[in-house]
Amino acid sequence: MRKKIIAGNWKMNKSLEEGMGLVSEVSNMLKDEYKGSAKVVIIPPFIHINSVSKLIAENPVMAVGAQNCSNHKSGAYTGEISADMLKSCGTKYIIIGHSERRQYFGEHNAWLAQKTDAVLNAGLNPIYCCGETLEERESNAHFTVLEKQISEGLFHLNATQFSEVVIAYEPVWAIGTGKTASTAQAQEIHAFIRGLITKKYDAALADNITIQYGGSVKAENAAELFSAPDIDGALVGGAALESRSFVAIVKAMA
Ligand code: PGA
């Protein structure tokens, strides 16, 4: 059975004090109110990871993730942070190829393939992001774009390695815009991605891969999105910055 994962990506938000407050609230609410089986992953800025990890250590539902990592293992790369370092601070998941990293920091598929390897070599799970821009969707190029992102970033992996990957489909036009893909649009893409994995590996592996949806997920649309057969959770941005709205999304996953 594939894992359901709700992840909250804080991006570049929250002081340490604000972040700790938010995590305590989320953790307490989940203990009291959540009986489901989804994994809840908090993805704060790097410098808060160690503190978040300690705070949630006793909560079996929760885990901590990172928003990025270096493609290198160690060495003279000023300002970079390796997957091994993140692991030593309690990180379990690392986002690779978020559209903001692709757009503002020039991260491209070949580089993301190396980062994916770095995450897997550290024994962690990559959350590999893919998604088309509005222009690409309107010109009907979205399937081609997604196939390229996934094949160039991930299809060098063997089946055992691939089974550790989580995929997040995040249409760029839906991120932070308040505009969500309809459940039918998201389901169509998730099924397409599962089809690509089936073609490259096999149906059993494809069936086991968690594919999250991301892009303006909120309490109001989460249950409907999660009702689709190929949507296995969410990568949440804005709505993860407030405990009530984030927990409401988690609770929408039965
Ligand atoms: P959003 O961000 O929920 O604010 O649209 C999602 C993301 O970037 O992962």
Side-chain angles (χ1 to χ4, degrees), residues 14-201:
K14 303 286 181 195
S15 67
L16 180 60
E17 194 185 350
E18 290 165 349
M20 291 307 97
L22 172 56
V23 176
S24 313
E25 283 172 24
V26 169
S27 180
N28 289 336
M29 284 183 203
L30 290 174
K31 272 186 202 146
D32 294 344
E33 304 168 24
Y34 187 59
K35 302 283 168 270
S37 58
K39 196 74 181 154
V40 179
V41 184
I42 303 288
I43 311 185
F46 288 135
I47 50 166
H48 302 343
I49 287 176
N50 203 32
S51 309
V52 171
S53 168
K54 287 184 179 137
L55 198 61
I56 62 168
E58 305 298 312
N59 190 326
V61 170
M62 297 178 79
V64 66
Q67 298 173 18
N68 180 32
C69 73
S70 173
N71 52 330
H72 298 287
K73 194 166 170 61
S74 65
Y77 301 102
T78 301
E80 288 289 272
I81 295 181
S82 75
D84 288 328
M85 292 173 191
L86 292 167
K87 184 183 188 179
S88 74
C89 294
T91 303
K92 298 277 185 260
Y93 296 85
I94 302 182
I95 297 178
I96 295 297
H98 188 280
S99 66
E100 287 149 18
R101 304 265 351 142
R102 292 176 186 265
Q103 189 181 347
Y104 307 134
F105 302 96
E107 296 197 1
H108 50 79
N109 296 332
W111 196 3
L112 299 175
Q114 292 177 14
K115 291 193 178 207
T116 302
D117 290 344
V119 176
L120 291 169
N121 288 338
L124 304 178
N125 299 96
I127 299 179
Y128 184 86
C129 297
C130 57
E132 79 284 0
T133 62
L134 186 59
E135 199 186 3
E136 286 160 349
R137 178 161 279 264
E138 284 175 344
S139 60
N140 216 24
H142 47 301
F143 291 111
T144 316
V145 167
L146 285 159
E147 182 162 7
K148 194 169 155 65
Q149 289 172 341
I150 289 180
S151 60
E152 292 183 1
L154 296 176
F155 280 177
H156 63 291
L157 302 174
N158 65 37
T160 310
Q161 293 168 321
F162 198 93
S163 66
E164 300 298 323
V165 173
V166 174
I167 292 177
Y169 167 58
E170 300 205 298
V172 179
W173 48 270
I175 294 178
T177 58
K179 220 168 146 186
T180 321
S182 69
T183 304
Q185 278 173 326
Q187 168 57 30
E188 181 186 37
I189 299 295
H190 285 225
F192 171 73
I193 293 170
R194 227 179 278 288
L196 294 175
I197 303 167
T198 300
K199 237 192 289 169
K200 170 71 186 172
Y201 301 94

Side-chain angles (χ1 to χ4, degrees), residues 9 11 98 100 170 174-177 214-217 235-239:
N9 171 16
K11 308 190 180 183
H98 188 280
E100 287 149 18
E170 300 205 298
I175 294 178
T177 58
S216 299
V217 176
L235 184 52
V236 185

